[in-house]
Amino acid sequence: MRTSTFSHALLGFTLLCMTQGVLAHRVNVFAWTQGDVLHTESKFSGGTRVHFGTIRVEDLKTHDTLLEGKTNEKGEFSTTIPTGFDRTHGLKVTIDAGEGHQSTWTVLPEDLTAMPVVTGKAIPAKPQTSTLKRPAGVTLSEADLEAIDARVAARVAAEVAPIKRDLAQLATPAITLKDIVGGLGWILGLFGVGALVSRKKGPSA
Amino acid sequence: MHIAEGVLSAPILVGSAVGALAAVGVGLRKLPDEDLLTAGLIAAAFFVASLIHIPIGVSSAHLILNGLVGIVFGWGAYPVIFVALLLQGILFMFGGLTVLGVNTLTMGTGALVAGFVFRLMARTHATPMNDVAAFVAGFLGVLVSALLTAVALGASDEGFVAAATALFVAHLPIMLAEGVITLFVVRYLRRSSHPALLKGLRP
């Protein structure tokens, strides 16, 4: 019996070792805004990109589908933030990678309403022109200040976009050795308790 | 091949949860008490097999090993797979709690069919037919699960034929790999000191 248990443990351990450096299988979608543009990136956990998966963008509250698109070979899909919906509702971005693989990402209303004005059509950015100080001897019209605002906003949005992307990706933690060992411990523990209980009850009928 | 949350309709989720509950119940009754610790080890192998991932073209798939679970446990595969899927859902976020029932049914039924076919084909004495039986069982476990997953997806808007085709293509290498792995594991179990694990080969 001892040899038998040892061999089973060896078999299990061999399978566990085979998992080193391999990729896991769960689809994730990340979305972030850059000015008026919504960027998305979809990949299986472990890094494989979702090629030509379907991205669906919905109103978070009404669940109306606002647009659909396909990811490219890098798993990316970018689009102008749709118009014709209430930005205070937020957005739900769904990746459908086929074969039952699906995941969603929520774009919060504050990411949409605090969006810097780049096109001039969107909601006004928070720092108003009245707060800017004009250097002595320089005359700037309101139009000039608005143009500066727009350029600064666009620049900031471009600088911040990679940080937003990294933050989005960090929101879905990768599978760690801790998860694997913890899961194995739970499984063996559960069946161990089952064996203990059945032994206390006596031999099965 | 885990179906994710939010893909299937409520009637399918509820129906399959009830079905899975019944199957797990039957499995627990048929699982001998003395096999519980072995069941834990096999569940652990099933649990980590999902991390062995093979990129296939534009998609990806992972090992399942449900054929092996079916060979060893028959109906007992349902509770073994249920526990492993539960922890995969909680710790790896594969599948999920609402789809636990449907995933248990698809994977468990694949295991059950694989075990049944293995028992039909395998012989108690050593013969090349046993290798064939093990390969076919490993292959079939994934194939049946893929078909059942396609049935579940077909009831949603993906369409059965499209889902079945995509799943079959994505999992063909997995079916072959699992056939070979199952063949070698069964060979190992036969030669080792505990062939009793292979219930199909019990006299």
Side-chain angles (χ1 to χ4, degrees):
Chain A
M1 182 65 196
R2 178 165 292 175
T3 315
S4 158
T5 309
F6 174 75
S7 304
H8 291 172
L10 192 67
L11 177 65
F13 182 72
T14 308
L15 283 165
L16 176 63
C17 290
M18 286 166 70
T19 68
Q20 285 191 342
V22 296
L23 308 171
H25 203 247
R26 175 182 74 216
V27 71
N28 291 313
V29 59
F30 315 103
W32 66 98
T33 55
Q34 181 184 352
D36 235 1
V37 178
L38 177 71
H39 296 290
T40 74
E41 200 172 290
S42 306
K43 50 186 172 185
F44 294 102
S45 58
T48 315
R49 309 282 172 158
V50 178
H51 302 176
F52 313 116
T54 303
I55 291 277
R56 191 171 60 249
V57 180
E58 294 171 37
D59 185 310
L60 189 60
K61 269 193 182 166
T62 64
H63 303 293
D64 292 337
T65 300
L66 302 170
L67 63 89
E68 283 191 348
K70 293 269 181 200
T71 60
N72 61 17
E73 287 183 348
K74 292 178 182 173
E76 298 164 350
F77 171 74
S78 297
T79 179
T80 308
I81 292 176
T83 53
F85 81 105
D86 188 345
R87 289 191 172 190
T88 59
H89 289 178
L91 290 172
K92 183 168 125 182
V93 179
T94 304
I95 174 69
D96 182 352
E99 299 158 40
H101 295 128
Q102 184 172 295
S103 184
T104 60
W105 181 269
T106 302
V107 181
L108 295 171
E110 49 263 39
D111 283 334
L112 299 168
T113 51
M115 190 176 57
V117 179
V118 179
T119 61
K121 286 185 290 183
I123 298 163
K126 277 194 176 158
Q128 297 298 312
T129 50
S130 57
T131 60
L132 294 174
K133 285 187 179 172
R134 299 172 195 196
V138 177
T139 309
L140 289 171
S141 68
E142 286 299 318
D144 291 335
L145 289 170
E146 275 180 20
I148 292 170
D149 254 359
R151 288 191 69 161
V152 170
R155 187 62 193 258
V156 169
E159 295 283 343
V160 169
I163 301 171
K164 282 186 172 179
R165 185 193 61 202
D166 289 348
L167 280 175
Q169 293 190 358
L170 281 174
T172 308
I175 295 166
T176 63
L177 188 62
K178 214 188 286 180
D179 297 320
I180 300 170
V181 175
L184 291 175
W186 267 104
I187 290 173
L188 297 180
L190 283 172
F191 282 97
V193 168
L196 194 68
V197 170
S198 69
R199 181 178 289 187
K200 283 198 171 169
K201 277 197 307 191
S204 56
Chain B
M1 212 193 301
H2 302 75
I3 298 179
E5 308 255 24
V7 175
L8 301 176
S9 62
I12 292 178
L13 291 177
V14 174
S16 54
V18 172
L21 201 66
V24 169
V26 173
L28 280 175
R29 290 177 68 90
K30 295 208 170 197
L31 192 63
D33 289 345
E34 64 268 21
D35 282 354
L36 275 171
L37 286 177
T38 313
L41 287 168
I42 298 286
F46 181 93
F47 173 75
V48 294
S50 66
L51 295 170
I52 301 171
H53 170 280
I54 301 172
I56 301 151
V58 298
S59 188
S60 56
H62 58 77
L63 288 186
I64 301 171
L65 292 189
N66 59 338
L68 179 63
V69 181
I71 287 175
V72 178
F73 291 115
W75 274 90
Y78 283 106
V80 167
I81 287 174
F82 171 82
V83 170
L85 284 176
L86 173 70
L87 284 155
Q88 282 177 355
I90 294 171
L91 293 169
F92 301 162
M93 284 176 273
F94 289 1
L97 293 181
T98 62
V99 284
L100 187 57
V102 69
N103 283 330
T104 302
L105 268 190
T106 56
M107 299 299 146
T109 307
L112 189 67
V113 172
F116 180 73
V117 170
F118 180 78
R119 282 161 187 67
L120 276 183
M121 295 174 70
R123 300 289 177 269
T124 46
H125 56 279
T127 155
M129 188 61 173
N130 287 336
D131 281 348
V132 178
F135 179 86
V136 169
F139 188 96
L140 263 186
V142 181
L143 178 64
V144 171
S145 296
L147 281 175
L148 290 174
T149 303
V151 169
L153 291 172
S156 68
D157 52 1
E158 190 154 345
F160 172 75
V161 175
T165 309
L167 280 163
F168 181 78
V169 170
H171 286 85
L172 190 58
I174 299 291
M175 290 172 207
L176 295 170
E178 298 237 349
V180 172
I181 290 171
T182 308
L183 186 159
F184 281 108
V185 173
V186 167
R187 244 189 213 183
Y188 163 76
L189 291 176
R190 284 182 64 88
R191 286 177 185 170
S192 64
S193 57
H194 39 79
L197 258 180
L198 301 169
K199 290 182 182 45
L201 300 184
R202 275 179 181 170

